[in-house]
Every structure is written in C-alpha cells, then in structure tokens.
Amino acid sequence: MDIGIFLRGLIFGLSIAAPVGPVGIVCIRRTLGEGFFYGAAAGLGAATADVFFASVGAFGLTVIANALVSLQAPLRFFGGAFLIYLGWTFFRTPPVDTNAAGTSSLAGEDNARRGLFGAYSTTFFLTITNPITILIYTAMFAGFGSTGEGGIWAALMMVVGVAMGSGGWYLALAGIVSLLKTRMNRTVLLWINRLSGIAIALFGIVVLISALRG
C-alpha cells in the first residue's frame, strides 16, 4: 500500500482541524479552564466527527452525504444556537482550580468522567452540525484522485490518516496550551473565559443567521 494515501489523509485532517474556529477556541478554553485532559477530550470529539465525515467522503457514501447536506439548514440552526449557549456559559464560568483537593474521591472521579464526556460530546455535536464538511472532504479526495481508487483498503488508510492528522493536531494544541497555562494567573484566565465566550457566541450568531437565510 502506497504510504502516500495515508499521508494525504494526514494532510487533509490537519488542514481541516488547524484553522482556529469555534471548536479550536473551545479546546483552548477547556484546557485553560479545566486542564489538559478536558481540552484533549474536546479536541477528540471534533476529530471523531471529522473521521465520520471523512469516511462518508472516502467510501463514497453519497446517500448519507446527500441526506446530511439536505438537513444543513436545521443542523446549522441548532449548532448556532448551541454555540451561543456555550459562549454564555463560558463567559459566566469562573476559572476552575484543577489542583484543588478532593479530586481523588469517588464523587470527584465520577464528576470528572461526566465532565470529560461533556467536553467530548460538545465538540462532536458542534462539528457534526456542519455537514458542509462532507463536501469539503469529498472535494479534497476527488482533487487528489483518491475517491474510489484502491478499494476499501485505500479508503480505510485515507480515513486513518485523517484521524491521525485531526486528532494529533488537537492533542498537540491541548498540550501546548496546558504548558502556557502555568504562566497565567487567575485574572488572566478569567478574562480568557470571557473573551472566548464572546468569540464563540459571535460565531454562533453568524451560523444562526446563515441558517435562517437558508
């Protein structure tokens, strides 16, 4: 198997994940506010949705692609509304002391698990409500002459590359931001919460308006 197919997928995943949008801001904010694992969980939620979209494009699942694209307006409406809600939540939430005592208790572990799942599911939902990403992946694959070539194994290698590219980017982002957090005091983190909340809400308003305009 030509390693080039895997590398194409890797490049696709990186190119989709790297631009800083609402999902990237959520990942950064989660890392600064709650720690590396929460930021990583948020990033992997988005990467999972990227892998789903990449699978639809790579395997030529046009029925699923057409169905999701036909629901683009309502999906974007709910996605925009959720972004506004998320922005408000981030704006009003004070920084969390991730070194606070008691996190080793059973209740603390249970809350942490729910928090990690919430971080993961939030960005998965945000990404999955933008089905236009399917068209982006399909166009990328067709542009490189990879859609339909090489059978199932080639498509699988392409999707694995996307998973590595997208997931690797978000893990690296969470790691870098986690290191930078050690140089920030509570006041700085509080303002980051507020500014990220405003930015995410503004993204939501833009998405909501685009959905309403059809």
Side-chain angles (χ1 to χ4, degrees):
M1 174 58 62
D2 186 1
I3 193 66
I5 294 177
F6 170 80
L7 292 177
R8 288 176 188 175
L10 189 71
I11 293 170
F12 293 158
L14 281 171
S15 64
I16 293 296
V20 178
V23 172
I25 294 174
V26 170
C27 182
I28 291 170
R29 189 272 169 194
R30 289 283 192 187
T31 305
L32 290 174
E34 297 155 279
F36 168 78
F37 291 106
Y38 289 86
L44 291 178
T48 301
D50 281 343
V51 169
F52 170 73
F53 286 142
S55 299
V56 171
F59 289 99
L61 304 178
T62 55
V63 173
I64 296 177
N66 292 337
L68 287 173
V69 172
S70 69
L71 295 173
Q72 181 181 166
L75 285 173
R76 288 176 68 81
F77 177 85
F78 286 115
F82 186 68
L83 277 172
I84 295 171
Y85 165 76
L86 194 64
W88 167 247
T89 301
F90 284 174
F91 182 86
R92 62 190 294 271
T93 302
V96 176
D97 183 4
T98 54
N99 296 317
T103 55
S104 60
S105 66
L106 291 177
E109 291 175 0
D110 185 54
N111 288 336
R113 283 194 294 271
R114 288 201 300 268
L116 289 170
F117 178 75
Y120 175 90
S121 58
T122 293
T123 49
F124 177 82
F125 175 77
L126 288 177
T127 308
I128 211 73
T129 53
N130 186 22
I132 199 66
T133 309
I134 293 177
L135 300 180
I136 295 174
Y137 274 114
T138 302
M140 282 183 170
F141 293 167
F144 276 87
S146 54
T147 303
E149 280 189 9
I152 294 177
W153 180 248
L156 181 60
M157 289 295 293
M158 180 73 72
V159 171
V160 170
V162 169
M164 295 290 289
S166 180
W169 166 259
Y170 285 117
L171 288 175
L173 179 63
I176 292 170
V177 173
S178 182
L179 292 175
L180 294 176
K181 180 185 176 182
T182 60
R183 302 184 180 184
M184 300 178 184
N185 57 37
R186 185 176 177 84
T187 301
V188 172
L189 293 175
L190 177 62
W191 276 104
I192 289 176
N193 272 10
R194 291 174 177 174
L195 293 174
S196 63
I198 292 171
I200 290 171
L202 289 175
F203 273 114
I205 292 172
V206 172
V207 171
L208 202 58
I209 291 174
S210 68
L212 291 173
R213 287 180 175 177

